Amino acid sequence: RRYLRGEEARLRDLTRFYEKVLSLHEDSAVAVENPLLAYTLIKRLQSDWKNVVHSLEASENIRALKDGYEKVEQDLPAFEDLEGAARALMRLQDVYMLNVKGLARGVFQRVTGSDVTDLYSPRRFFSLTADDCFQVGKVAYDMGDYYHAIPWLEEAVSLFRGSYGEWKTEDEASLEDALDHLAFACFQAGNVSRALSLSREFLLYSPENKRVARNVLKYERLLAESPHQAAAEAVIQRPNVPHLQTRDAYEELCQTLGTQPVRYQIPSLYCSYETNSSPYLLLQPIRKEVVHLQPSIVLYHDFVSDSEAQKIRELAEPWVSVPEASLCLHMEFRSVSAWLKDTVDPMLVSLDHRIAALTGLDVQPPYAEYLQVVNYGIGGHYEPHFDHATSPTSPLYRMKSGNRIATFMIYVSLALERPGFIIGNRRTTKNAALFWWNLRRNGEGDGDTLHAGCPVLVGDKWVANKWIHEYGQESRRPCTSSPED
């Protein structure tokens, strides 16, 4: 009878995990839209399933389970993808000032003083488990980033306490693990008193652990030698990686959530129907909006149709073929890209003709680069940068066609909410295109063209870039008599 009860409990646990997975796949679009669901999808495929497959609960009939797992294992996210997803949540937490406790409950709110702003309301609410929070905290902990590690580990400890004794097969961590990591993180952050309290709690559950017992003695000695540390409140500075001088301005603009600050509104901006005196555009002029004067930034509304935008994605997707669950997280800027030659599809030839007609520039190689299509996934962003080369040793000069004189950027698709791309102070819309000059007429880089992509809060975002070089444009954009232009 004891054996039967054990078998029943084992099967109930495996059934619970199976039903949990089924419930999360009721709406396949939600997992991509909600960053919390996206993170847990990656964690489930990279970690949870592995824990289940190699657990004692799965020991019976294990061959069939392992065979099925091994068939798809190479297509599943790697541990680096899970790390990237965790860092993406931290990035969203920072840039949009999201509260960790709220995120763990599935709430996307920014709380500043008494003001509460709802940034995103999911179609279905989803909360993180204690193990989910622990994994985010551990990624920060392993990087020595205790600013982020501590709140996520605190939330993990709180949730583990509430469910103590309810072990789940897919979980990798326990309350003891969370207490252990949080105690050391607090010690590293200078909060010795908190580290001592957590370590003592750990020993209540695992009194035989000699390492933690030695830590308790160490913390007690430190507090005895410096009693003021017991009352000291540790203040941890948020790490500034990679040391952006413009971080505060960048994040302030991201937090405007699509509204244009009043101080940036310019009365002399205007709209028009643009033909650029080109026969190609006479019968169907493009709607043009001048969004900035210095530097000159022009927005072309509905530059591509829905079908053209979809075609661009379809052409690029095979070349950005990382596992879908990875959501484009393994690259430095949390994006993946593809380069499309105009010989791939006639639609790209038509696109080049349209860009050339609007800009008056030669957009054929070697005077321009092939169309670059970029996909930004969960937390995908691009920190403030210039498109033109700022160093004579830049790889951009390998084309032997000079620097990037101009950028033509097409918004193929945007995140479901929060467009999340900044040029100066401008956010844009799907199917639109932005055009600006990277170089002044004298050939020098324009320092005012610094721009960035805000972290994607919801869904994903596709952008196509056409970079035009200075060689071949001498008669199309000539120098002036003033060396200052």
Side-chain angles (χ1 to χ4, degrees):
R1 181 170 295 182
R2 185 182 304 164
Y3 168 77
L4 291 175
R5 283 200 297 266
E7 287 295 285
E8 288 172 354
R10 178 180 67 83
L11 291 174
R12 278 199 303 272
D13 189 61
L14 293 176
T15 301
R16 175 199 56 77
F17 179 70
Y18 176 69
E19 290 174 347
K20 170 186 171 183
V21 172
L22 283 183
S23 68
L24 292 173
H25 285 275
E26 287 177 0
D27 185 346
S28 60
V30 175
V32 177
E33 174 184 322
N34 187 329
L36 299 178
L37 276 170
Y39 162 73
T40 55
L41 170 62
I42 295 172
K43 177 175 176 286
R44 189 162 64 252
L45 293 175
Q46 198 285 321
S47 174
D48 293 1
W49 269 110
K50 189 184 297 182
N51 292 333
V52 169
V53 167
H54 297 287
S55 68
L56 291 175
E57 285 76 8
S59 58
E60 300 297 324
N61 199 22
I62 190 65
R63 190 67 261 162
L65 187 59
K66 281 189 174 179
D67 284 347
Y69 180 77
E70 288 169 359
K71 285 180 181 177
V72 298
E73 186 174 13
Q74 65 180 2
D75 297 322
L76 298 180
F79 180 69
E80 291 76 13
D81 295 306
L82 179 57
E83 284 185 314
R87 288 196 295 270
L89 289 185
M90 292 180 234
R91 189 178 309 116
L92 295 176
Q93 167 194 344
D94 288 341
V95 174
Y96 298 113
M97 302 173 65
L98 300 174
N99 178 268
V100 169
K101 190 171 287 292
L103 276 177
R105 299 197 315 269
V107 177
F108 294 80
Q109 287 183 334
R110 184 172 72 232
V111 181
T112 50
S114 59
D115 295 330
V116 178
T117 305
D118 285 310
L119 303 187
Y120 165 53
S121 298
R123 285 185 283 172
R124 54 184 284 212
F125 278 93
F126 172 81
S127 58
L128 298 178
T129 67
D131 193 65
D132 294 336
C133 294
F134 175 81
Q135 293 299 337
V136 177
K138 188 174 184 302
V139 167
Y141 176 95
D142 289 342
M143 295 189 299
D145 175 7
Y146 305 113
Y147 174 89
H148 290 104
I150 288 174
W152 283 101
L153 291 172
E154 283 180 335
E155 191 60 26
V157 165
S158 176
L159 293 171
F160 273 128
R161 283 172 179 156
S163 61
Y164 188 74
E166 300 174 11
W167 176 255
K168 296 176 181 177
T169 306
E170 69 271 19
D171 284 356
E172 189 170 311
S174 63
L175 174 58
E176 291 89 329
D177 293 320
L179 287 169
D180 190 15
H181 283 77
L182 179 56
F184 189 72
C186 288
F187 169 69
Q188 289 292 94
N191 195 337
V192 182
S193 178
R194 176 79 168 134
L196 175 60
S197 173
L198 292 163
S199 298
R200 285 172 173 168
E201 182 180 353
F202 177 98
L203 290 177
L204 294 177
Y205 301 104
S206 186
E208 73 287 350
N209 192 298
K210 295 180 180 179
R211 176 181 56 81
V212 175
R214 288 195 299 270
N215 285 346
V216 167
L217 294 175
K218 175 183 177 180
Y219 301 151
E220 288 175 340
R221 185 180 69 254
L222 288 171
L223 289 174
E225 294 171 353
S226 304
H228 66 278
Q229 289 194 27
E233 187 69 29
V235 178
I236 314 171
Q237 295 296 322
R238 174 185 160 195
N240 185 9
V241 178
H243 307 290
L244 284 174
Q245 295 180 347
T246 55
R247 186 181 73 175
D248 291 343
Y250 160 57
E251 293 183 356
E252 181 186 356
L253 284 169
C254 289
Q255 290 161 14
T256 60
L257 303 178
T259 59
Q260 192 176 45
V262 173
R263 64 180 179 277
Y264 290 136
Q265 294 176 1
I266 304 172
S268 56
L269 302 180
Y270 64 92
C271 298
S272 65
Y273 282 96
E274 181 65 65
T275 64
N276 200 27
S277 303
S278 169
Y280 190 86
L281 298 174
L282 283 177
L283 295 179
Q284 191 174 7
I286 302 290
R287 289 190 297 146
K288 170 184 174 180
E289 179 185 354
V290 177
V291 297
H292 208 274
L293 297 178
Q294 184 56 44
S296 174
I297 305 174
V298 176
L299 177 67
Y300 296 107
H301 292 270
D302 298 315
F303 177 76
V304 293
S305 64
D306 287 338
S307 61
E308 287 174 325
Q310 182 61 31
K311 186 67 173 180
I312 292 172
R313 285 188 58 165
E314 290 173 358
L315 293 172
E317 278 172 347
W319 304 100
V320 294
S321 56
V322 295
E324 184 175 343
S326 299
L327 298 177
C328 313
L329 289 165
H330 68 291
M331 302 294 283
E332 174 65 21
F333 300 108
R334 307 303 177 265
S335 66
V336 288
S337 60
W339 298 85
L340 300 180
K341 296 183 178 181
D342 57 7
T343 53
V344 171
D345 190 274
M347 186 273 295
L348 297 178
V349 177
S350 174
L351 206 62
D352 276 351
H353 288 331
R354 205 176 309 156
I355 295 173
L358 275 174
T359 63
L361 300 175
D362 189 338
V363 300
Q364 295 303 309
Y367 306 122
E369 299 172 42
Y370 295 120
L371 189 70
Q372 185 206 42
V373 184
V374 188
N375 177 220
Y376 296 84
I378 167 182
H381 71 132
Y382 209 127
E383 288 158 349
H385 66 284
F386 296 104
D387 280 358
H388 61 274
T390 56
S391 165
T393 59
S394 170
L396 290 180
Y397 290 113
R398 292 174 187 167
M399 286 184 65
K400 308 293 185 184
S401 54
N403 208 342
R404 288 173 174 168
I405 191 174
T407 294
F408 199 94
M409 176 182 290
I410 306 166
Y411 292 85
V412 179
S413 74
L414 296 171
L416 297 180
E417 293 191 19
R418 312 304 174 214
F421 203 96
I422 296 172
I423 300 273
N425 59 307
R426 177 68 187 184
R427 292 173 182 269
T428 188
T429 55
K430 180 178 179 291
N431 293 354
L434 273 171
F435 174 74
W436 70 92
W437 299 102
N438 295 309
L439 306 181
R440 302 182 187 278
R441 288 183 180 269
N442 62 9
E444 294 180 357
D446 189 339
D448 291 333
T449 60
L450 188 71
H451 59 286
C454 294
V456 173
L457 180 61
V458 185
D460 68 345
K461 176 177 66 177
W462 290 77
V463 174
N465 297 302
K466 188 74 173 181
W467 283 304
I468 306 161
H469 285 240
E470 53 188 329
Y471 291 5
Q473 320 301 342
E474 293 85 353
S475 62
R476 299 169 185 267
R477 197 203 187 207
C479 300
T480 66
S481 57
S482 171
E484 302 302 321
D485 289 346

